[in-house]
Amino acid sequence: DLYIEYMKVLTPQIEGLFGAKNVGATASGNTKDSALKQVTVRETNISNSLAALMKANSQSPVSTLFLLQVANFVPAVKDNMATYYDVLSGAAKTGPFADYISKTISTASIGNIGTVLPDFKQNDVNGKSVSLASFRGKYVLIDFWASWCGPCRAENPNVVKTYADFKNQNFTVLGISLDDDRDAWLQAIKDDKLTWTHVSELKRWESPIANLYKIEGIPANFLLNPEGKIIAKNLRGEQLKMFLTANLK
């Protein structure tokens, strides 16, 4: 019954939203502008209707289901998922829909400047387990790269020079490779003279750590302070040197 109630309220609004989106996608000029304004208005109306329904039915898993569904096509709901979810309680926070939303919320901020990267353990070149937490107390550049990545190999000399300049100032590098060929990985480390700690799962883009940290392209890096917080991202070449010069304490 509650599912039907949700559908009666939201279905006409959702149909109107997609209608406005379709017009906006094919129209031009004033018609397109008008359609895009309608999209914004209709998304706001859907968000408000959803919030009211969830408040009135805060313990029902039906509310959880509709939160998940609406978040798929209303950006404001997706971006404020935690706020909507906080309204729910009891049975609404159990089951697969709630589990999925909880996981989405908990991982949403990973990789943002000012946050602490989740710890991980990976094996180094000698098969020894290395944890990110073991680098606490130092400034550390988490460097995602691979032997097969041309831009990564081109950037490596800059990282080598920066490491040499700052390694005695409480700075180090942790290389995380997205290789899947161990021999190629080790040869690249040797050829490029990368003398810092290196780890890899040898799973290429199937790397759980790369996926957790939302790495979508390489080279990519995070600069962490001694407390493990991200203070900069994707610094390359002179940018990295200048940032370290200004911020290392």
Side-chain angles (χ1 to χ4, degrees):
D1 289 343
L2 182 55
Y3 183 91
I4 292 172
E5 181 182 338
Y6 265 87
M7 290 294 288
K8 285 181 178 179
V9 173
L10 292 176
T11 298
Q13 298 182 37
I14 293 170
E15 289 175 347
L17 171 62
F18 284 112
K21 285 185 174 182
N22 289 336
V23 172
T26 58
S28 60
N30 292 336
T31 302
K32 184 179 185 70
D33 291 341
S34 177
L36 293 178
K37 288 179 181 178
Q38 278 295 310
V39 167
T40 300
V41 170
R42 291 178 184 279
E43 286 182 344
T44 299
N45 290 340
I46 291 171
S47 300
N48 291 339
S49 295
L50 176 68
L53 285 164
M54 289 178 61
K55 184 177 180 180
N57 305 281
S58 61
Q59 296 193 25
S60 173
V62 174
S63 296
T64 317
L65 169 61
F66 274 91
L67 171 58
L68 189 58
Q69 290 181 332
V70 173
N72 285 328
F73 55 85
V74 178
V77 174
K78 181 178 181 180
D79 293 342
N80 295 282
M81 181 82 81
T83 301
Y84 283 87
Y85 192 60
D86 281 345
V87 172
L88 302 179
S89 61
K93 285 196 169 181
T94 62
F97 302 130
D99 291 345
Y100 181 85
I101 291 174
S102 295
K103 183 178 179 180
T104 299
I105 292 170
S106 67
T107 60
S109 64
I110 291 176
N112 291 344
I113 291 176
T115 64
V116 175
L117 278 180
D119 192 22
F120 68 84
K121 291 183 179 181
Q122 284 190 21
N123 289 340
D124 66 10
V125 296
N126 298 311
K128 179 182 177 182
S129 180
V130 174
S131 70
L132 177 59
S134 66
F135 288 83
R136 289 290 174 87
K138 288 181 175 288
Y139 288 88
V140 55
L141 184 73
I142 309 299
D143 185 33
F144 285 86
W145 73 294
S147 65
W148 46 262
C149 169
C152 302
R153 303 295 294 274
E155 178 63 18
N156 278 345
N158 295 324
V159 184
V160 169
K161 186 176 186 307
T162 300
Y163 178 69
D165 290 344
F166 292 93
K167 66 180 181 180
N168 295 321
Q169 298 182 47
N170 203 35
F171 170 78
T172 191
V173 180
L174 173 60
I176 302 180
S177 168
L178 298 189
D179 275 285
D180 56 3
D181 183 322
R182 176 178 172 80
D183 292 338
W185 172 44
L186 298 181
Q187 190 63 49
I189 293 173
K190 179 180 178 181
D191 291 345
D192 292 1
K193 300 179 174 59
L194 313 180
T195 57
W196 47 85
T197 301
H198 292 272
V199 298
S200 181
E201 297 160 300
L202 297 175
K203 293 182 178 179
R204 205 159 173 138
W205 290 109
E206 298 302 315
S207 162
I209 297 303
N211 291 330
L212 177 63
Y213 289 0
K214 304 174 186 175
I215 303 300
E216 298 179 347
I218 52 176
N221 61 56
F222 299 100
L223 181 61
L224 310 185
N225 69 9
E227 289 73 45
K229 286 186 178 181
I230 302 170
I231 55 175
K233 296 167 60 174
N234 297 323
L235 296 173
R236 299 190 180 94
E238 285 299 309
Q239 289 181 323
L240 177 59
K241 180 179 178 180
M242 292 171 61
F243 190 93
L244 291 174
T245 300
N247 291 278
L248 243 60
K249 298 177 182 179

